[in-house]
Amino acid sequence: MAREDDRVKAARGLFAAIEAKDPAKLLSFYAENAVQVEHPNRLRPKGDRRSPERMVADLDRGKQILREEHYELIEATASGDQVALQVKWTGVLAVPVASLKAGDTMICESGIFLKFQDDKIVEQHNYDCFEPF
């Protein structure tokens, strides 16, 4: 069996930090000048751009919206300084969102692309496809 790429291991660690809502751990994966680009989707029709500080703020906001969340890594490919990930995200809602009630599960299939420099993420692009809600 092939050894898992260090950048893929870092992606797994990043998802675990988000699930745990651990700001210090989350920041440990990103360069100070990193940017996350969320391309337009059902929740953010105009997309969004976040600095690491905004990502930490969103962790706190997520605590109010979600009871729990989980990232399942379906597929990962690493080449050079980049990693392409296919991820299934599930979140159990703490509050209603559109037609979903508190306690319902929201599901999203994502393509996430990470660019690394000096073992830190410098750029992240998320392409999120939510199941209807």
PDB file of all heavy atoms in Angstrom, residues 28 31 56 59 68 78 86-87 93 109 124 126:
ATOM      1  N   SER A  28      -2.807  26.571  12.406  1.00  0.00           N
ATOM      2  CA  SER A  28      -1.508  25.913  12.223  1.00  0.00           C
ATOM      3  C   SER A  28      -1.327  25.354  10.808  1.00  0.00           C
ATOM      4  O   SER A  28      -0.201  25.094  10.398  1.00  0.00           O
ATOM      5  CB  SER A  28      -1.324  24.801  13.261  1.00  0.00           C
ATOM      6  OG  SER A  28      -2.116  23.665  12.956  1.00  0.00           O
ATOM      7  N   ALA A  31      -0.647  29.506   6.042  1.00  0.00           N
ATOM      8  CA  ALA A  31       0.311  30.605   6.069  1.00  0.00           C
ATOM      9  C   ALA A  31      -0.444  31.865   6.493  1.00  0.00           C
ATOM     10  O   ALA A  31      -1.668  31.965   6.305  1.00  0.00           O
ATOM     11  CB  ALA A  31       0.918  30.801   4.680  1.00  0.00           C
ATOM     12  N   VAL A  56     -11.292  31.599  11.286  1.00  0.00           N
ATOM     13  CA  VAL A  56     -11.452  31.376  12.726  1.00  0.00           C
ATOM     14  C   VAL A  56     -12.783  31.969  13.193  1.00  0.00           C
ATOM     15  O   VAL A  56     -13.518  31.334  13.958  1.00  0.00           O
ATOM     16  CB  VAL A  56     -10.263  31.964  13.520  1.00  0.00           C
ATOM     17  CG1 VAL A  56     -10.576  32.037  15.003  1.00  0.00           C
ATOM     18  CG2 VAL A  56      -9.021  31.125  13.287  1.00  0.00           C
ATOM     19  N   LEU A  59     -15.514  29.700  12.423  1.00  0.00           N
ATOM     20  CA  LEU A  59     -15.614  28.558  13.342  1.00  0.00           C
ATOM     21  C   LEU A  59     -16.576  28.890  14.477  1.00  0.00           C
ATOM     22  O   LEU A  59     -17.429  28.079  14.838  1.00  0.00           O
ATOM     23  CB  LEU A  59     -14.255  28.208  13.947  1.00  0.00           C
ATOM     24  CG  LEU A  59     -13.289  27.347  13.168  1.00  0.00           C
ATOM     25  CD1 LEU A  59     -12.036  27.097  13.999  1.00  0.00           C
ATOM     26  CD2 LEU A  59     -13.898  26.054  12.726  1.00  0.00           C
ATOM     27  N   GLU A  68     -23.082  19.609  14.996  1.00  0.00           N
ATOM     28  CA  GLU A  68     -21.868  18.850  14.668  1.00  0.00           C
ATOM     29  C   GLU A  68     -21.686  18.867  13.167  1.00  0.00           C
ATOM     30  O   GLU A  68     -22.618  19.145  12.419  1.00  0.00           O
ATOM     31  CB  GLU A  68     -21.963  17.410  15.181  1.00  0.00           C
ATOM     32  CG  GLU A  68     -23.086  16.612  14.554  1.00  0.00           C
ATOM     33  CD  GLU A  68     -23.236  15.228  15.144  1.00  0.00           C
ATOM     34  OE1 GLU A  68     -23.751  15.124  16.270  1.00  0.00           O
ATOM     35  OE2 GLU A  68     -22.834  14.267  14.463  1.00  0.00           O
ATOM     36  N   ALA A  78      -2.398  14.292  -4.948  1.00  0.00           N
ATOM     37  CA  ALA A  78      -1.373  15.298  -4.686  1.00  0.00           C
ATOM     38  C   ALA A  78      -0.369  15.294  -5.826  1.00  0.00           C
ATOM     39  O   ALA A  78       0.034  14.238  -6.317  1.00  0.00           O
ATOM     40  CB  ALA A  78      -0.672  15.005  -3.369  1.00  0.00           C
ATOM     41  N   GLN A  86     -11.808  15.368  -3.090  1.00  0.00           N
ATOM     42  CA  GLN A  86     -13.252  15.193  -3.199  1.00  0.00           C
ATOM     43  C   GLN A  86     -13.724  14.880  -1.792  1.00  0.00           C
ATOM     44  O   GLN A  86     -13.249  13.929  -1.160  1.00  0.00           O
ATOM     45  CB  GLN A  86     -13.613  14.052  -4.145  1.00  0.00           C
ATOM     46  CG  GLN A  86     -15.104  13.835  -4.259  1.00  0.00           C
ATOM     47  CD  GLN A  86     -15.449  12.608  -5.098  1.00  0.00           C
ATOM     48  OE1 GLN A  86     -14.579  11.964  -5.677  1.00  0.00           O
ATOM     49  NE2 GLN A  86     -16.719  12.302  -5.156  1.00  0.00           N
ATOM     50  N   VAL A  87     -14.646  15.698  -1.290  1.00  0.00           N
ATOM     51  CA  VAL A  87     -15.046  15.621   0.112  1.00  0.00           C
ATOM     52  C   VAL A  87     -16.563  15.612   0.218  1.00  0.00           C
ATOM     53  O   VAL A  87     -17.254  16.333  -0.501  1.00  0.00           O
ATOM     54  CB  VAL A  87     -14.488  16.843   0.885  1.00  0.00           C
ATOM     55  CG1 VAL A  87     -14.941  16.844   2.325  1.00  0.00           C
ATOM     56  CG2 VAL A  87     -12.966  16.874   0.798  1.00  0.00           C
ATOM     57  N   LEU A  93     -27.836  20.490  11.871  1.00  0.00           N
ATOM     58  CA  LEU A  93     -28.184  21.876  12.155  1.00  0.00           C
ATOM     59  C   LEU A  93     -28.646  22.095  13.592  1.00  0.00           C
ATOM     60  O   LEU A  93     -29.400  21.288  14.141  1.00  0.00           O
ATOM     61  CB  LEU A  93     -29.286  22.339  11.198  1.00  0.00           C
ATOM     62  CG  LEU A  93     -28.903  22.376   9.720  1.00  0.00           C
ATOM     63  CD1 LEU A  93     -30.127  22.642   8.856  1.00  0.00           C
ATOM     64  CD2 LEU A  93     -27.836  23.436   9.481  1.00  0.00           C
ATOM     65  N   GLU A 109     -21.377  17.953  -1.287  1.00  0.00           N
ATOM     66  CA  GLU A 109     -20.241  17.325  -1.975  1.00  0.00           C
ATOM     67  C   GLU A 109     -19.357  18.463  -2.463  1.00  0.00           C
ATOM     68  O   GLU A 109     -19.852  19.434  -3.044  1.00  0.00           O
ATOM     69  CB  GLU A 109     -20.719  16.489  -3.166  1.00  0.00           C
ATOM     70  CG  GLU A 109     -21.637  15.350  -2.803  1.00  0.00           C
ATOM     71  CD  GLU A 109     -20.913  14.106  -2.330  1.00  0.00           C
ATOM     72  OE1 GLU A 109     -19.673  14.015  -2.510  1.00  0.00           O
ATOM     73  OE2 GLU A 109     -21.583  13.214  -1.789  1.00  0.00           O
ATOM     74  N   GLN A 124      -6.672  28.171  -1.000  1.00  0.00           N
ATOM     75  CA  GLN A 124      -7.682  27.114  -0.950  1.00  0.00           C
ATOM     76  C   GLN A 124      -8.876  27.552  -1.773  1.00  0.00           C
ATOM     77  O   GLN A 124      -9.373  28.664  -1.619  1.00  0.00           O
ATOM     78  CB  GLN A 124      -8.111  26.858   0.494  1.00  0.00           C
ATOM     79  CG  GLN A 124      -9.223  25.843   0.636  1.00  0.00           C
ATOM     80  CD  GLN A 124      -9.572  25.561   2.085  1.00  0.00           C
ATOM     81  OE1 GLN A 124      -8.770  25.795   2.990  1.00  0.00           O
ATOM     82  NE2 GLN A 124     -10.765  25.063   2.308  1.00  0.00           N
ATOM     83  N   ASN A 126     -12.768  26.262  -2.789  1.00  0.00           N
ATOM     84  CA  ASN A 126     -13.864  25.340  -2.497  1.00  0.00           C
ATOM     85  C   ASN A 126     -14.955  25.484  -3.556  1.00  0.00           C
ATOM     86  O   ASN A 126     -15.413  26.603  -3.809  1.00  0.00           O
ATOM     87  CB  ASN A 126     -14.492  25.641  -1.131  1.00  0.00           C
ATOM     88  CG  ASN A 126     -13.603  25.263   0.022  1.00  0.00           C
ATOM     89  OD1 ASN A 126     -12.416  25.536   0.020  1.00  0.00           O
ATOM     90  ND2 ASN A 126     -14.194  24.659   1.026  1.00  0.00           N
TER      91      ASN A 126
END
